Amino acid sequence: MAIGKSGRIVLEIDAEDKEALHREIKKRGLTMKEWFLEKVEQDFPELAKKKKKKG
């Protein structure tokens, strides 16, 4: 998988799984991006701390 510098993350998953994931995330009142960033912060809190220091 290529790693670029664009700031975008591209994943290929089954279309049905993608639709189900979007539905469940929407039920929580989140966008895919918000959900993903929450998960990153939960799993990698040191990355979130670095981001907060910069901003």
Side-chain angles (χ1 to χ4, degrees), residues 30-54:
L30 299 170
T31 65
M32 180 71 79
K33 180 179 178 177
E34 291 167 335
W35 174 81
F36 178 80
L37 291 175
E38 272 188 14
K39 295 302 175 190
V40 169
E41 189 168 353
Q42 289 171 3
D43 288 358
F44 306 102
E46 67 281 3
L47 295 178
K49 288 178 186 174
K50 285 182 185 179
K51 183 75 172 175
K52 288 178 183 175
K53 285 182 183 179
K54 286 183 178 181

Side-chain angles (χ1 to χ4, degrees), residues 7 9 15 18 23-24 33 35 44 48:
I9 296 174
K18 178 185 168 190
R23 268 194 313 276
E24 294 304 315
K33 180 179 178 177
W35 174 81
F44 306 102

Side-chain angles (χ1 to χ4, degrees), residues 13-29:
I13 64 172
D14 180 78
E16 290 179 11
D17 291 342
K18 178 185 168 190
E19 289 175 24
L21 184 58
H22 271 284
R23 268 194 313 276
E24 294 304 315
I25 290 170
K26 189 174 181 178
K27 285 180 186 177
R28 297 180 183 188

